[in-house]
């Protein structure tokens, strides 16, 4: 296969950074076509640094932050589904799935990444994107689904492998020991992060060679993480953290068989 293609679909700018930034960088460096699709521009989020944006221009600023991160990862510029942040469960679900189907047929990825059913910490936008992608992967291969999409430039396409980005329980335990929060505050209440046991995790990607790119990608999202975050103030410690040097996935769909042990390559059994 001369041109392997990876496509990741998330809800907001920075969703890609913490759990997949190294993986995106790794496969781009290997010569893969790597595409990132984001449903919103993160305009409903809080602004960590008030001098960097206002609520009026936050969508533009966060788009530029994501473009900065994609450039650092070495991947294609981001594509946006152009939905409103915080409202993904309320929009027309069929149309959203249709947009993802069309992108799959256009970009023709062998491998895709998205959220698992828990959406990392139960964020309703994350869960909506999870549902869109899992449905779209099946529908993109069926010419009877969205038949008006089918043309010379948009033929049905079968994704070979779909992965969910997941977080190990061990990582959450390390956060607890350091006194770091293990929940995300939303609407004034904590939504706990969901950890997976290592027995569940099918795929571990070593991104040590790309940890610097991953960190710089995180820092691009300055209105999200702020200037004084751990990723700036404790930069060297972050880079040495074993949890930062690996990214974890759960293989959810495969047309090329299932691994006997823990995979170390998303394109295993494909190339």
């Amino acid at each position: 296969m001369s041109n392997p293609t990876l496509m990741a679909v998330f809800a907001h700018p920075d969703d890609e950074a913490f759990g997949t930034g190294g993986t995106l960088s790794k496969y781009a460096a290997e010569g893969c076509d790597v595409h990132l699709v984001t449903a919103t521009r993160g305009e409903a989020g809080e602004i960590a640094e008030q001098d960097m944006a206002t609520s009026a221009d936050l969508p533009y600023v966060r788009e530029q932050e994501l473009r900065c991160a994609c450039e650092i990862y070495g991947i294609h510029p981001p594509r946006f589904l152009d939905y409103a942040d915080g409202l993904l469960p309320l929009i027309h679900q069929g149309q959203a799935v249709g947009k993802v189907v069309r992108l799959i047929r256009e970009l023709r990825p062998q491998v895709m990444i998205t959220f698992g059913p828990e959406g990392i910490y139960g964020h309703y936008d994350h869960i909506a994107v999870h549902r869109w992608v899992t449905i779209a992967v099946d529908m993109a291969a069926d010419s009877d689904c969205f038949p008006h999409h089918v043309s010379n430039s948009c033929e049905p396409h079968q994704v070979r492998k779909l992965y969910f980005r997941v977080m190990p329980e061990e990582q959450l335990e390390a956060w607890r020991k350091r006194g770091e929060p293990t929940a995300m505050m939303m609407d004034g209440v904590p939504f706990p992060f969901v950890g997976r046991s290592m027995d569940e995790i099918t795929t571990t990607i070593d991104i040590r060679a790309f940890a610097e790119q991953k960190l710089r990608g995180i820092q691009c999202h300055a209105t999200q993480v702020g200037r004084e975050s751990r990723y700036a103030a404790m930069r060297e410690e972050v880079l040495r953290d074993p949890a930062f040097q690996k990214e974890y996935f759960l293989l959810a769909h495969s047309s090329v068989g299932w691994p006997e042990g823990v995979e170390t390559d998303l394109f295993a059994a494909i190339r």
Side-chain angles (χ1 to χ4, degrees), residues 15 18-20 113-114 116 118 120 163-167 248-249:
D15 285 345
F18 300 94
T20 62
I113 300 170
T114 193
E118 73 285 345
I120 304 297
Y163 288 93
F164 298 155
R165 178 238 157 156
V166 295
M167 179 181 295
Y248 300 90
F249 301 90

Side-chain angles (χ1 to χ4, degrees), residues 163-182:
Y163 288 93
F164 298 155
R165 178 238 157 156
V166 295
M167 179 181 295
E169 290 176 345
E170 294 174 0
Q171 186 174 340
L172 288 178
E173 186 57 32
W175 289 0
R176 290 187 190 98
K177 290 179 179 178
R178 289 200 299 257
E180 296 180 15
T182 57

Side-chain angles (χ1 to χ4, degrees), residues 130-173:
H130 158 79
R131 296 298 298 147
W132 301 348
V133 174
T134 53
I135 294 168
V137 164
D138 287 334
M139 298 189 81
D142 186 348
S143 60
D144 290 333
C145 297
F146 296 98
H148 299 100
H149 287 185
V150 178
S151 65
N152 291 336
S153 61
C154 199
E155 293 296 322
H157 175 72
Q158 182 180 60
V159 175
R160 301 292 187 85
K161 298 168 85 175
L162 170 64
Y163 288 93
F164 298 155
R165 178 238 157 156
V166 295
M167 179 181 295
E169 290 176 345
E170 294 174 0
Q171 186 174 340
L172 288 178
E173 186 57 32

Side-chain angles (χ1 to χ4, degrees), residues 207-229:
I207 59 97
R208 281 175 293 180
F210 304 95
E212 177 74 33
Q213 281 175 264
K214 176 179 177 177
L215 181 58
R216 289 170 57 209
I218 291 171
Q219 291 171 336
C220 280
H221 297 286
T223 61
Q224 302 270 45
V225 300
R227 295 188 182 95
E228 304 302 323
S229 73

Side-chain angles (χ1 to χ4, degrees), residues 189-211:
V189 297
F191 281 64
F193 287 98
V194 177
R196 300 281 191 134
S197 72
M198 292 306 295
D199 290 340
E200 291 180 272
I201 293 171
T202 62
T203 312
T204 302
I205 304 298
D206 184 337
I207 59 97
R208 281 175 293 180
F210 304 95

Side-chain angles (χ1 to χ4, degrees), residues 32-44:
C32 298
D33 275 335
V34 181
H35 299 272
L36 175 62
V37 179
T38 305
T40 79
R41 287 172 171 78
E43 65 271 19

Side-chain angles (χ1 to χ4, degrees), residues 47 92 112 126 223 271:
I47 303 172
H92 193 295
M112 290 187 65
H126 296 185
T223 61
R271 61 178 179 179

